[in-house]
């Protein structure tokens, strides 16, 4: 692996801490994209970490060039500033497979490095391709009919991890303005999900927002589970809404797809459609199976179109997926199924 960061301190600390992992070999550390370009050609690393805020050339510009000429797994390290989180989302759209918060001090680098090491090992196996350009769409939004909050509308539940930013962008830009109410868990650190939701809202027809406790799940609205909290579906009479709560990690994740999917199985049953998209690990498989047993229609993304096939594969193996579809067909399928349930 190769470390790309303009801070000599960060390069030194990451080299030291990641070097403790026997499963990783650090081939070098570059202070900027120009040095990194030459090191990539010479050393041929399997994966790299990338800072987004660097002199001479910013990390996003470098990443876009890299994905054209030599696509490879990239994990972005970003600050938690508002600008930093926006830049991180741009990097994910440009082809990065993961985003992590940059160590805030020398004291926190060990904890960050432990998480980063696990993600680097998994990311090295990712199937990375140049990101596809999302076509321009009419994003005129229809005012939400809040009176619909008192009806048992059908809902869509989606879960994703590695590669999910690109996958969800492709899916949600195909949603019509009146798409069934949708709740999504995308594995992402706290504070990054708000920028992700804002970015999606600017390019999609439905309203897309980071979920807040008590938000109604209604047609024309997509809720993104906030990083650092679990999001569950609840029902009061004929109204669906979400509860945002703390709790232990599940599958080392918070938010966790299984937490959402299990709540959808309990409170929506056959009124729901669920889909598990690209991602590492097994989060979502158990919950999708619970949804299918409760009468929901369920989908897993196929291997060929997944950046990492871990989560869809586990769902398929346990019998949770009623259908296996390429990414390009998932938006049409979940909307069609959600509207046909009405």
């Amino acid at each position: 692996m190769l470390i790309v960061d303009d801070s000599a301190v960060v390069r030194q600390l990451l080299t030291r801490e990641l070097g403790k992992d026997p499963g990783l070999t650090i081939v070098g550390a570059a202070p900027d994209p120009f040095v990194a370009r030459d090191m990539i050609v010479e050393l041929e690393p399997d994966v790299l970490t990338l800072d987004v805020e660097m002199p001479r050339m910013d990390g996003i510009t470098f990443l876009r060039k890299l994905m054209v000429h030599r696509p490879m797994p990239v994990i972005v390290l970003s600050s938690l500033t508002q600008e930093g989180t926006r830049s991180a989302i741009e990097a994910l759209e440009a082809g990065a497979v993961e985003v992590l918060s940059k160590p805030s001090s020398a004291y926190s680098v060990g904890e960050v490095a432990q998480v980063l090491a696990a993600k680097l090992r998994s990311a090295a196996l990712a199937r990375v391709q140049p990101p596809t350009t999302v076509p321009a769409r009419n994003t005129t939004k229809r005012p939400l009919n809040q009176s619909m909050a008192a009806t048992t509308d059908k809902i869509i539940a989606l879960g994703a991890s590695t590669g999910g930013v690109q996958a969800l962008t492709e899916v949600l830009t195909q949603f019509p303005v009146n798409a069934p109410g949708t709740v999504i868990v995308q594995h992402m650190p706290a504070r990054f999900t708000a920028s992700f939701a804002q970015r999606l809202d600017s390019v999609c027809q439905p309203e897309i927002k980071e979920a807040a406790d008590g938000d109604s799940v209604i047609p024309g609205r997509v809720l993104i589970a906030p990083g650092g909290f679990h999001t569950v579906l609840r029902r009061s009479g004929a109204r669906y809404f979400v509860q945002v709560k703390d709790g232990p990690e599940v599958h080392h994740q918070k938010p966790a797809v299984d937490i959402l999917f299990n709540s959808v199985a309990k409170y929506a049953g056959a009124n729901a459609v669920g889909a598990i998209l690209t991602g590492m690990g097994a989060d979502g498989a158990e919950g999708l199976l619970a949804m299918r047993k409760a009468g929901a229609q369920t989908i897993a993304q196929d291997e060929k179109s997944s950046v990492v096939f871990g989560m869809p594969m586990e769902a398929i193996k346990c019998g949770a997926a009623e259908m296996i579809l390429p990414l390009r067909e998932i938006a049409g399928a979940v909307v069609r199924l959600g509207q046909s349930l009405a």
Side-chain angles (χ1 to χ4, degrees):
M1 62 159 289
L2 177 68
I3 297 167
V4 185
D5 198 294
D6 67 315
S7 168
V9 173
V10 172
R11 294 197 305 274
Q12 182 181 28
L13 290 172
L14 287 178
T15 299
R16 183 189 70 199
E17 295 299 322
L18 293 173
K20 297 176 182 178
D21 191 302
L24 296 175
T25 300
I26 300 171
V27 298
D32 63 50
F34 293 94
V35 176
R37 176 194 58 194
D38 295 337
M39 294 181 76
I40 289 170
V41 172
E42 178 185 356
L43 302 171
E44 299 185 344
D46 296 317
V47 61
L48 62 83
T49 67
L50 180 65
D51 183 17
V52 293
E53 298 169 3
M54 291 183 290
R56 297 215 290 167
M57 180 188 293
D58 66 90
I60 296 172
T61 300
F62 173 63
L63 180 61
R64 288 178 177 139
K65 293 177 181 293
L66 183 67
M67 288 299 154
V68 171
H69 299 290
R70 193 189 186 282
M72 64 185 298
V74 175
I75 293 181
V76 168
L77 297 179
S78 176
S79 69
L80 285 174
T81 64
Q82 185 175 12
E83 181 60 36
T85 56
R86 281 199 299 264
S87 296
I89 299 306
E90 286 187 57
L92 288 165
E93 291 176 337
V97 297
E98 288 277 1
V99 58
L100 286 178
S101 303
K102 203 170 186 179
S104 57
S105 68
Y107 299 102
S108 65
V109 71
E111 181 180 348
V112 171
Q114 188 175 14
V115 175
L116 178 58
K119 291 187 177 295
L120 284 165
R121 290 194 300 271
S122 299
L125 305 175
R127 183 187 295 104
V128 178
Q129 298 176 347
T132 56
T133 301
V134 175
R137 297 180 63 85
N138 177 4
T139 56
T140 301
K141 299 176 188 293
R142 186 175 66 188
L144 294 178
N145 183 358
Q146 294 292 345
S147 66
M148 295 291 286
T151 68
T152 50
D153 292 306
K154 315 313 175 186
I155 67 165
I156 295 169
L158 305 176
S161 186
T162 311
V165 167
Q166 291 182 53
L168 287 168
T169 300
E170 181 169 340
V171 169
L172 295 176
T173 51
Q174 297 180 58
F175 271 29
V177 68
N178 62 341
T182 301
V183 187
I184 296 172
V185 166
Q186 162 68 47
H187 294 162
M188 192 175 283
R191 297 180 65 175
F192 288 95
T193 43
S195 291
F196 181 41
Q198 291 167 7
R199 170 60 180 158
L200 284 172
D201 189 59
S202 72
V203 297
C204 298
Q205 294 186 73
E207 176 199 41
I208 300 182
K209 67 185 294 287
E210 185 181 56
D213 194 53
D215 275 347
S216 294
V217 183
I218 55 178
R221 172 179 286 169
V222 177
L223 300 175
I224 307 287
F229 295 90
H230 292 304
T231 295
V232 296
L233 184 73
R234 292 286 186 257
R235 181 172 173 175
S236 177
R239 173 181 174 247
Y240 289 123
F241 64 99
V242 294
Q243 179 184 3
V244 176
K245 63 178 188 176
D246 203 353
E249 292 183 347
V250 175
H251 295 286
H252 307 290
Q253 302 292 340
K254 189 165 62 171
V257 182
D258 268 336
I259 294 290
L260 172 63
F261 281 5
N262 278 315
S263 69
V264 172
K266 180 177 180 180
Y267 289 99
N271 282 351
V273 178
I276 191 80
L277 308 180
T278 175
M280 300 176 194
D283 188 23
E286 176 191 327
L288 195 69
L289 180 60
M291 286 182 64
R292 187 174 186 184
K293 288 180 176 178
Q297 292 176 287
T298 58
I299 298 169
Q301 185 177 347
D302 72 356
E303 181 174 8
K304 186 175 181 181
S305 66
S306 296
V307 172
V308 176
F309 190 50
M311 286 165 51
M313 178 183 68
E314 293 300 324
I316 293 166
K317 282 168 57 178
C318 74
E322 182 181 357
M323 292 166 276
I324 303 169
L325 297 176
L327 181 63
R328 66 179 182 275
E329 296 180 16
I330 288 177
V334 295
V335 170
R336 182 177 64 254
L337 292 170
Q339 292 178 335
S340 70
L341 288 172

